[in-house]
Amino acid sequence: MTEIKLYNTKTRRKEVFAPIDPEHVRMYVCGPTVYDRAHIGNARPVIVFDVLNRLLRHVYPRVTYVRNFTDVDDKINATALARKEAGAPGTLEELVAARSDETIAWYLEDMAAVGAIEPDAMPRATEYIAQMIAMIGALIERGHAYAAEGHVLFRVRSYEEYGALSGRSVDDMIAGARVEVAPYKEDPMDFVLWKPSTDELPGWDSPWSRGRPGWHIECSAMAHDLLGEAFDIHGGGNDLTFPHHENEIAQSKCMGHGFANVWMHNEMLQVEGKKMSKSLGNFFTVRDLLDQGVPGEVIRFVFLSTHYRKPMDWTEKKRQEAEATLRKWRELVSGAGAAPVPGAILEAVADDLNTAGALAEMHRLYAAGDGAGLRAAGGLLGLLGDELGGWDAAPEVSLDALVVRFNALRAAAMESKDFSGVDAMKAALIDAGIEVRMSKAGVELEAKPGLDLAKLEALQ
């Protein structure tokens, strides 16, 4: 069996992966808060853990992959409230539900476009309120939580290992973090498990108030219900390490649950060397790129070109290079037969998801003309499959007018013996992605994959 090594944030080292049950590997990844379109940074953990999901399914007989949706949140409420104020029909609670449904559909569509396989379970937080209330009640009974003014707070100092995942002490966290100061808190670091809700906003009856859960308890309850008291892998972006994942661990461990054995975190994304932000004008969504004509497979390739634990820089140059590479690879694998995943590819991906190394191996397979091996390698990485195909085909355009112009230009050059104009037009056509074939009978033009429609339009 293939040996998989994964970097464990909890132990700060790369370890040989040893599942709790080799017949059934279980993984939980924190999903999005569904208040708007997914920006390209949101797609990074999806693609990273999609590759891990594919690897695990290649090696083990059964995998359960869970990724949640947070559909109860202040940002969702604010969007729904804005719609209600603008005259949208329905109660605020109905508008909140409609906004969640809308954004979840967008998210699944956009993530499918970048080649992500849907997880086995995609629970919504609002579907697990009863489990959250039960867990909160149990934490109160055990002395790890307390009710105060309709809220329930977790006693951080009741869990001695708090901070182990992020490597911080409680006192350091208090000194260096902005924590909510509230009169009902016993300690500044205590965090909310339950909070009151207004009459018109979404809320559920509980022993403490009509309210809703805090963010952190959601994942603990859903992971426990779907994967059991202990499971193999918990993943997400490294911005979740503290406080979200730290709080998940504290809650679950204080329930007596083993929780996750391996913690994996991907690094963040930049755009052209700068942090992505709306103020810099470099903030865009996955849908923005797709609507601009950037194929989802190209987005995926760019992401896989950088190791998941390193900061990733999205650049236009990388996009162009990825598209050119994928066009060449797709041409080679067209019609190629089936083959096992090449050993060097499997070895690279099994080494803590070294996708950049796997892509380097795929370049060598292309150079060797191994179309079947290249296709099999792509399957492990979520590339070169039929489900993402079609974008590399040449667009259907009429070149008749350009053929007439080119033939006239060529005929005039034959008379004047000055072929500089012919050479210039030929170069411009080739640069636009047009294959030019000249013979005594005349000129033939053919659009090739990668045709630049803007450059073609400039020649018309």
Side-chain angles (χ1 to χ4, degrees), residues 136 140 144-155 184 186 193-194 207-209:
I136 293 169
I140 292 174
H144 295 293
Y146 57 95
E149 299 182 22
H151 296 74
V152 180
L153 287 300
F154 182 86
R155 283 192 179 94
Y184 48 79
E186 293 179 356
L193 299 175
W194 188 265
W208 317 289
S209 64

Side-chain angles (χ1 to χ4, degrees), residues 218-267:
E218 296 174 11
C219 288
S220 285
M222 288 185 283
H224 174 255
D225 192 81
L226 292 166
L227 298 176
E229 292 191 357
F231 54 95
D232 298 297
I233 300 168
H234 195 312
N238 68 355
D239 57 326
L240 300 179
T241 308
F242 178 83
H244 185 50
H245 289 166
E246 200 76 75
N247 292 350
E248 279 188 69
I249 290 172
Q251 296 160 165
S252 298
K253 290 286 190 178
C254 287
M255 286 291 295
H257 301 164
F259 211 45
N261 281 353
V262 178
W263 287 84
M264 296 178 65
H265 296 91
N266 62 274
E267 255 287 358

Side-chain angles (χ1 to χ4, degrees), residues 112 122 180 263 325:
M122 295 183 286
E180 181 187 356
W263 287 84
T325 296

Side-chain angles (χ1 to χ4, degrees), residues 33-37 69-72 76 79-80 83 93-109 122 124 126-127:
T33 300
V34 287
Y35 64 91
D36 208 344
R37 285 278 190 185
F69 288 113
T70 294
D71 61 344
V72 51
I76 303 172
T79 304
R83 288 185 173 184
E93 192 163 351
E94 289 170 341
L95 291 172
V96 167
R99 179 59 172 174
S100 297
D101 291 344
E102 177 182 50
T103 49
I104 286 172
W106 288 345
Y107 183 85
L108 293 176
E109 182 183 12
M122 295 183 286
R124 298 188 186 198
T126 53
E127 299 169 340

Side-chain angles (χ1 to χ4, degrees), residues 356-434:
L359 291 179
E361 291 294 335
M362 290 177 73
H363 280 289
R364 283 189 273 275
L365 289 169
Y366 174 79
D370 185 356
L374 188 62
R375 177 184 284 279
L380 188 63
L381 292 175
L383 300 171
L384 306 179
D386 294 338
E387 71 281 1
L388 290 180
W391 64 268
D392 55 330
E396 294 184 9
V397 293
S398 174
L399 301 175
D400 294 345
L402 284 171
V403 169
V404 171
R405 277 183 54 201
F406 200 110
N407 276 325
L409 188 63
R410 188 170 178 234
M414 296 286 284
E415 292 290 331
S416 67
K417 307 303 181 186
D418 180 4
F419 288 87
S420 59
V422 172
D423 292 339
M425 185 170 184
K426 180 180 178 182
L429 287 166
I430 293 172
D431 182 56
I434 302 293

